Short mmCIF file of all heavy atoms in Angstrom, two decimals:
data_model
loop_
_atom_site.label_atom_id
_atom_site.label_comp_id
_atom_site.label_asym_id
_atom_site.label_seq_id
_atom_site.Cartn_x
_atom_site.Cartn_y
_atom_site.Cartn_z
N GLN A 1 19.62 85.22 30.14
CA GLN A 1 19.05 84.20 29.26
C GLN A 1 18.88 82.88 30.00
O GLN A 1 19.79 82.42 30.68
CB GLN A 1 19.95 84.01 28.04
CG GLN A 1 19.35 83.15 26.95
CD GLN A 1 20.29 82.99 25.75
OE1 GLN A 1 21.01 82.00 25.65
NE2 GLN A 1 20.31 83.98 24.88
N ARG A 2 17.72 82.27 29.82
CA ARG A 2 17.41 81.00 30.51
C ARG A 2 17.33 79.82 29.55
O ARG A 2 17.32 78.67 29.98
CB ARG A 2 16.09 81.13 31.28
CG ARG A 2 16.09 82.25 32.31
CD ARG A 2 17.06 81.97 33.45
NE ARG A 2 17.16 83.11 34.36
CZ ARG A 2 18.18 83.93 34.45
NH1 ARG A 2 19.25 83.74 33.69
NH2 ARG A 2 18.17 84.95 35.30
N GLY A 3 17.27 80.10 28.25
CA GLY A 3 17.21 79.00 27.30
C GLY A 3 17.06 79.50 25.88
O GLY A 3 16.71 80.66 25.64
N THR A 4 17.34 78.62 24.91
CA THR A 4 17.21 78.93 23.49
C THR A 4 16.54 77.76 22.78
O THR A 4 16.52 76.64 23.28
CB THR A 4 18.58 79.18 22.84
OG1 THR A 4 19.36 77.97 22.93
CG2 THR A 4 19.33 80.31 23.54
N TYR A 5 16.00 78.06 21.60
CA TYR A 5 15.40 76.98 20.81
C TYR A 5 16.49 76.06 20.26
O TYR A 5 16.38 74.84 20.32
CB TYR A 5 14.56 77.54 19.67
CG TYR A 5 13.94 76.47 18.81
CD1 TYR A 5 12.74 75.86 19.19
CD2 TYR A 5 14.54 76.04 17.63
CE1 TYR A 5 12.16 74.85 18.42
CE2 TYR A 5 13.98 75.04 16.85
CZ TYR A 5 12.79 74.45 17.24
OH TYR A 5 12.23 73.45 16.48
N GLU A 6 17.54 76.67 19.71
CA GLU A 6 18.65 75.92 19.15
C GLU A 6 19.88 76.11 20.03
O GLU A 6 20.22 77.24 20.38
CB GLU A 6 18.95 76.40 17.72
CG GLU A 6 17.78 76.25 16.77
CD GLU A 6 18.00 77.00 15.47
OE1 GLU A 6 17.77 78.22 15.45
OE2 GLU A 6 18.41 76.35 14.48
N PRO A 7 20.57 75.05 20.40
CA PRO A 7 21.75 75.17 21.25
C PRO A 7 22.79 76.11 20.66
O PRO A 7 23.11 76.02 19.47
CB PRO A 7 22.28 73.73 21.34
CG PRO A 7 21.10 72.87 21.05
CD PRO A 7 20.27 73.64 20.06
N GLY A 8 23.27 77.03 21.46
CA GLY A 8 24.33 77.92 21.03
C GLY A 8 23.89 79.05 20.12
O GLY A 8 24.72 79.80 19.61
N LYS A 9 22.57 79.20 19.90
CA LYS A 9 22.06 80.27 19.04
C LYS A 9 20.98 81.04 19.78
O LYS A 9 20.01 80.46 20.26
CB LYS A 9 21.49 79.70 17.74
CG LYS A 9 22.51 79.02 16.84
CD LYS A 9 21.87 78.54 15.55
CE LYS A 9 21.44 79.71 14.68
NZ LYS A 9 20.90 79.24 13.37
N SER A 10 21.14 82.36 19.82
CA SER A 10 20.18 83.21 20.54
C SER A 10 19.13 83.83 19.62
O SER A 10 18.47 84.79 20.00
CB SER A 10 20.93 84.31 21.29
OG SER A 10 21.78 83.76 22.28
N ASP A 11 18.96 83.27 18.42
CA ASP A 11 17.96 83.79 17.48
C ASP A 11 16.56 83.74 18.08
O ASP A 11 15.74 84.63 17.87
CB ASP A 11 17.98 82.97 16.19
CG ASP A 11 19.35 82.89 15.56
OD1 ASP A 11 20.35 82.87 16.29
OD2 ASP A 11 19.43 82.84 14.32
N ASN A 12 16.26 82.65 18.77
CA ASN A 12 14.99 82.47 19.50
C ASN A 12 15.37 82.06 20.92
O ASN A 12 15.93 80.98 21.13
CB ASN A 12 14.14 81.38 18.85
CG ASN A 12 13.78 81.73 17.41
OD1 ASN A 12 12.83 82.46 17.15
ND2 ASN A 12 14.55 81.20 16.46
N ALA A 13 15.10 82.94 21.86
CA ALA A 13 15.59 82.72 23.22
C ALA A 13 14.63 83.32 24.23
O ALA A 13 13.71 84.07 23.86
CB ALA A 13 16.98 83.34 23.39
N TYR A 14 14.83 82.99 25.51
CA TYR A 14 13.99 83.61 26.54
C TYR A 14 14.84 83.99 27.74
O TYR A 14 15.86 83.36 28.04
CB TYR A 14 12.82 82.71 26.93
CG TYR A 14 13.15 81.36 27.50
CD1 TYR A 14 13.16 81.13 28.87
CD2 TYR A 14 13.42 80.27 26.66
CE1 TYR A 14 13.44 79.88 29.40
CE2 TYR A 14 13.70 79.02 27.17
CZ TYR A 14 13.70 78.83 28.55
OH TYR A 14 13.99 77.59 29.07
N TYR A 15 14.38 85.04 28.41
CA TYR A 15 15.12 85.70 29.48
C TYR A 15 14.16 86.00 30.62
O TYR A 15 12.96 86.21 30.40
CB TYR A 15 15.71 87.03 28.98
CG TYR A 15 16.50 86.93 27.71
CD1 TYR A 15 15.86 86.76 26.47
CD2 TYR A 15 17.89 87.00 27.72
CE1 TYR A 15 16.60 86.65 25.29
CE2 TYR A 15 18.63 86.91 26.54
CZ TYR A 15 17.97 86.73 25.33
OH TYR A 15 18.70 86.62 24.18
N THR A 16 14.67 86.05 31.84
CA THR A 16 13.83 86.41 32.97
C THR A 16 14.50 87.49 33.81
O THR A 16 15.72 87.60 33.85
CB THR A 16 13.52 85.20 33.87
OG1 THR A 16 14.74 84.71 34.45
CG2 THR A 16 12.81 84.10 33.10
N PHE A 17 13.67 88.27 34.49
CA PHE A 17 14.15 89.19 35.52
C PHE A 17 13.02 89.42 36.51
O PHE A 17 11.86 89.05 36.27
CB PHE A 17 14.65 90.51 34.92
CG PHE A 17 13.61 91.36 34.23
CD1 PHE A 17 12.89 92.31 34.94
CD2 PHE A 17 13.37 91.22 32.87
CE1 PHE A 17 11.94 93.12 34.30
CE2 PHE A 17 12.43 92.01 32.23
CZ PHE A 17 11.72 92.96 32.95
N ARG A 18 13.38 90.00 37.63
CA ARG A 18 12.42 90.22 38.72
C ARG A 18 12.48 91.67 39.18
O ARG A 18 13.56 92.26 39.27
CB ARG A 18 12.72 89.29 39.90
CG ARG A 18 11.79 89.47 41.09
CD ARG A 18 12.15 88.51 42.20
NE ARG A 18 11.29 88.70 43.37
CZ ARG A 18 11.36 88.00 44.50
NH1 ARG A 18 12.29 87.04 44.60
NH2 ARG A 18 10.55 88.23 45.51
N THR A 19 11.32 92.26 39.43
CA THR A 19 11.24 93.59 40.03
C THR A 19 10.31 93.48 41.24
O THR A 19 9.11 93.26 41.08
CB THR A 19 10.69 94.62 39.04
OG1 THR A 19 9.42 94.18 38.56
CG2 THR A 19 11.64 94.82 37.88
N GLY A 20 10.87 93.63 42.43
CA GLY A 20 10.05 93.46 43.64
C GLY A 20 9.49 92.06 43.70
O GLY A 20 10.22 91.07 43.60
N ASN A 21 8.16 91.97 43.81
CA ASN A 21 7.51 90.65 43.85
C ASN A 21 6.87 90.30 42.51
O ASN A 21 5.94 89.50 42.44
CB ASN A 21 6.45 90.62 44.96
CG ASN A 21 5.34 91.63 44.74
OD1 ASN A 21 5.48 92.53 43.91
ND2 ASN A 21 4.26 91.51 45.48
N THR A 22 7.36 90.92 41.43
CA THR A 22 6.82 90.69 40.09
C THR A 22 7.88 90.05 39.21
O THR A 22 9.02 90.51 39.16
CB THR A 22 6.36 92.02 39.46
OG1 THR A 22 5.45 92.67 40.36
CG2 THR A 22 5.65 91.77 38.14
N TYR A 23 7.49 89.01 38.50
CA TYR A 23 8.42 88.26 37.65
C TYR A 23 8.12 88.56 36.17
O TYR A 23 6.95 88.67 35.77
CB TYR A 23 8.30 86.76 37.91
CG TYR A 23 8.74 86.35 39.29
CD1 TYR A 23 7.88 86.45 40.38
CD2 TYR A 23 10.03 85.87 39.50
CE1 TYR A 23 8.30 86.09 41.66
CE2 TYR A 23 10.45 85.49 40.77
CZ TYR A 23 9.58 85.61 41.84
OH TYR A 23 10.00 85.25 43.10
N TRP A 24 9.19 88.62 35.39
CA TRP A 24 9.07 88.98 33.98
C TRP A 24 9.79 87.97 33.09
O TRP A 24 10.82 87.41 33.48
CB TRP A 24 9.66 90.38 33.74
CG TRP A 24 8.86 91.46 34.40
CD1 TRP A 24 8.94 91.86 35.70
CD2 TRP A 24 7.82 92.23 33.81
NE1 TRP A 24 8.03 92.85 35.95
CE2 TRP A 24 7.33 93.10 34.81
CE3 TRP A 24 7.28 92.29 32.52
CZ2 TRP A 24 6.31 94.01 34.55
CZ3 TRP A 24 6.26 93.19 32.27
CH2 TRP A 24 5.78 94.04 33.28
N LEU A 25 9.23 87.77 31.91
CA LEU A 25 9.80 86.88 30.90
C LEU A 25 9.86 87.65 29.58
O LEU A 25 8.88 88.26 29.16
CB LEU A 25 8.92 85.64 30.72
CG LEU A 25 9.25 84.69 29.58
CD1 LEU A 25 10.52 83.89 29.89
CD2 LEU A 25 8.08 83.73 29.32
N VAL A 26 11.02 87.65 28.94
CA VAL A 26 11.20 88.24 27.61
C VAL A 26 11.47 87.10 26.64
O VAL A 26 12.39 86.30 26.85
CB VAL A 26 12.36 89.25 27.58
CG1 VAL A 26 12.57 89.77 26.16
CG2 VAL A 26 12.11 90.41 28.54
N VAL A 27 10.68 87.02 25.58
CA VAL A 27 10.87 86.00 24.55
C VAL A 27 11.25 86.71 23.26
O VAL A 27 10.52 87.59 22.78
CB VAL A 27 9.60 85.17 24.32
CG1 VAL A 27 9.83 84.14 23.21
CG2 VAL A 27 9.18 84.47 25.61
N THR A 28 12.42 86.36 22.70
CA THR A 28 12.84 86.93 21.42
C THR A 28 12.52 85.92 20.31
O THR A 28 12.82 84.74 20.43
CB THR A 28 14.34 87.26 21.40
OG1 THR A 28 15.11 86.08 21.63
CG2 THR A 28 14.68 88.29 22.48
N LEU A 29 11.90 86.44 19.25
CA LEU A 29 11.54 85.60 18.11
C LEU A 29 12.22 86.11 16.85
O LEU A 29 12.26 87.32 16.60
CB LEU A 29 10.02 85.62 17.90
CG LEU A 29 9.17 84.80 18.86
CD1 LEU A 29 7.68 85.03 18.59
CD2 LEU A 29 9.49 83.31 18.76
N GLU A 30 12.71 85.20 16.04
CA GLU A 30 13.36 85.53 14.79
C GLU A 30 12.40 86.27 13.85
O GLU A 30 11.19 86.30 14.06
CB GLU A 30 13.86 84.25 14.12
CG GLU A 30 12.73 83.31 13.73
CD GLU A 30 13.22 81.95 13.24
OE1 GLU A 30 14.37 81.57 13.54
OE2 GLU A 30 12.42 81.25 12.57
N PHE A 31 12.95 86.86 12.79
CA PHE A 31 12.18 87.64 11.82
C PHE A 31 11.11 86.77 11.17
O PHE A 31 11.41 85.74 10.57
CB PHE A 31 13.14 88.19 10.76
CG PHE A 31 12.52 89.15 9.80
CD1 PHE A 31 12.55 90.51 10.04
CD2 PHE A 31 11.88 88.70 8.65
CE1 PHE A 31 11.99 91.41 9.14
CE2 PHE A 31 11.30 89.57 7.76
CZ PHE A 31 11.35 90.94 8.00
N CYS A 32 9.82 87.20 11.27
CA CYS A 32 8.70 86.43 10.72
C CYS A 32 8.96 84.94 10.94
O CYS A 32 9.26 84.20 10.00
CB CYS A 32 8.50 86.75 9.25
SG CYS A 32 7.87 88.40 8.95
N PRO A 33 8.86 84.48 12.17
CA PRO A 33 9.41 83.18 12.56
C PRO A 33 8.78 81.98 11.88
O PRO A 33 7.63 82.02 11.44
CB PRO A 33 9.14 83.15 14.07
CG PRO A 33 7.97 84.06 14.27
CD PRO A 33 8.16 85.16 13.26
N ARG A 34 9.57 80.93 11.84
CA ARG A 34 9.06 79.65 11.41
C ARG A 34 7.99 79.17 12.40
O ARG A 34 8.10 79.42 13.59
CB ARG A 34 10.20 78.64 11.33
CG ARG A 34 11.21 78.91 10.21
CD ARG A 34 12.51 78.17 10.40
NE ARG A 34 13.35 78.82 11.42
CZ ARG A 34 14.55 78.38 11.77
NH1 ARG A 34 15.04 77.28 11.23
NH2 ARG A 34 15.24 79.04 12.68
N PRO A 35 6.94 78.49 11.93
CA PRO A 35 5.86 78.06 12.82
C PRO A 35 6.33 77.26 14.03
O PRO A 35 5.77 77.39 15.12
CB PRO A 35 4.97 77.21 11.90
CG PRO A 35 5.18 77.81 10.55
CD PRO A 35 6.64 78.19 10.51
N GLU A 36 7.39 76.47 13.86
CA GLU A 36 7.86 75.67 15.00
C GLU A 36 8.44 76.56 16.10
O GLU A 36 8.42 76.19 17.28
CB GLU A 36 8.88 74.63 14.55
CG GLU A 36 10.08 75.16 13.79
CD GLU A 36 9.92 75.09 12.30
OE1 GLU A 36 8.79 75.33 11.79
OE2 GLU A 36 10.92 74.80 11.60
N MET A 37 8.94 77.75 15.74
CA MET A 37 9.43 78.68 16.75
C MET A 37 8.28 79.28 17.55
O MET A 37 8.39 79.50 18.75
CB MET A 37 10.25 79.81 16.10
CG MET A 37 11.37 79.33 15.22
SD MET A 37 12.52 78.23 16.08
CE MET A 37 13.48 77.60 14.71
N VAL A 38 7.18 79.54 16.86
CA VAL A 38 5.99 80.06 17.54
C VAL A 38 5.42 79.02 18.49
O VAL A 38 5.03 79.34 19.62
CB VAL A 38 4.93 80.51 16.51
CG1 VAL A 38 3.65 80.96 17.19
CG2 VAL A 38 5.49 81.64 15.64
N GLU A 39 5.41 77.77 18.07
CA GLU A 39 4.93 76.70 18.95
C GLU A 39 5.85 76.54 20.15
O GLU A 39 5.38 76.32 21.28
CB GLU A 39 4.84 75.38 18.16
CG GLU A 39 4.29 74.22 18.97
CD GLU A 39 2.94 74.52 19.60
OE1 GLU A 39 2.14 75.24 18.98
OE2 GLU A 39 2.69 74.04 20.74
N TRP A 40 7.16 76.65 19.95
CA TRP A 40 8.11 76.62 21.06
C TRP A 40 7.84 77.76 22.03
O TRP A 40 7.83 77.55 23.25
CB TRP A 40 9.52 76.72 20.49
CG TRP A 40 10.59 77.07 21.49
CD1 TRP A 40 11.22 76.23 22.35
CD2 TRP A 40 11.15 78.37 21.71
NE1 TRP A 40 12.14 76.93 23.11
CE2 TRP A 40 12.13 78.23 22.74
CE3 TRP A 40 10.93 79.63 21.15
CZ2 TRP A 40 12.86 79.33 23.20
CZ3 TRP A 40 11.66 80.70 21.62
CH2 TRP A 40 12.61 80.55 22.63
N ALA A 41 7.60 78.96 21.50
CA ALA A 41 7.32 80.12 22.36
C ALA A 41 6.06 79.90 23.17
O ALA A 41 5.98 80.29 24.35
CB ALA A 41 7.20 81.38 21.51
N ASN A 42 5.05 79.26 22.59
CA ASN A 42 3.83 78.94 23.34
C ASN A 42 4.14 78.10 24.58
O ASN A 42 3.61 78.35 25.66
CB ASN A 42 2.84 78.18 22.44
CG ASN A 42 1.93 79.09 21.66
OD1 ASN A 42 1.19 79.88 22.24
ND2 ASN A 42 1.97 78.99 20.35
N LYS A 43 5.01 77.13 24.41
CA LYS A 43 5.36 76.25 25.53
C LYS A 43 6.11 77.02 26.61
O LYS A 43 5.89 76.79 27.81
CB LYS A 43 6.20 75.08 25.02
CG LYS A 43 5.44 74.14 24.09
CD LYS A 43 6.35 73.05 23.54
CE LYS A 43 5.59 72.14 22.58
NZ LYS A 43 6.48 71.10 21.98
N ILE A 44 7.00 77.93 26.21
CA ILE A 44 7.76 78.71 27.18
C ILE A 44 6.84 79.64 27.96
O ILE A 44 6.91 79.73 29.19
CB ILE A 44 8.87 79.53 26.47
CG1 ILE A 44 9.85 78.60 25.75
CG2 ILE A 44 9.59 80.43 27.48
CD1 ILE A 44 10.53 77.59 26.65
N VAL A 45 5.96 80.35 27.25
CA VAL A 45 5.05 81.28 27.92
C VAL A 45 4.12 80.54 28.88
O VAL A 45 3.83 81.01 29.99
CB VAL A 45 4.24 82.07 26.86
CG1 VAL A 45 3.16 82.91 27.54
CG2 VAL A 45 5.16 82.96 26.04
#
């Protein structure tokens, strides 16, 4: 995990890993998320 929307809560969070020379990002979003979470995810991506 590299960061969360809310401190200390992994409800909306992002993670990274690497395979060879390829980088990956996983973004977890809460159930039918609040619009502000979607906007946050846009910034992370």
Side-chain angles (χ1 to χ4, degrees):
Q1 190 180 97
R2 302 293 174 253
T4 63
Y5 179 84
E6 300 168 279
K9 295 183 68 176
S10 297
D11 305 33
N12 299 277
Y14 60 98
Y15 309 75
T16 63
F17 64 90
R18 179 180 178 179
T19 56
N21 61 346
T22 306
Y23 294 83
W24 293 84
L25 172 73
V26 176
V27 178
T28 60
L29 284 175
E30 64 188 20
F31 187 93
C32 290
R34 291 163 283 181
E36 55 265 38
M37 306 304 169
V38 176
E39 183 55 34
W40 164 82
N42 271 302
K43 294 176 182 177
I44 299 302
V45 173

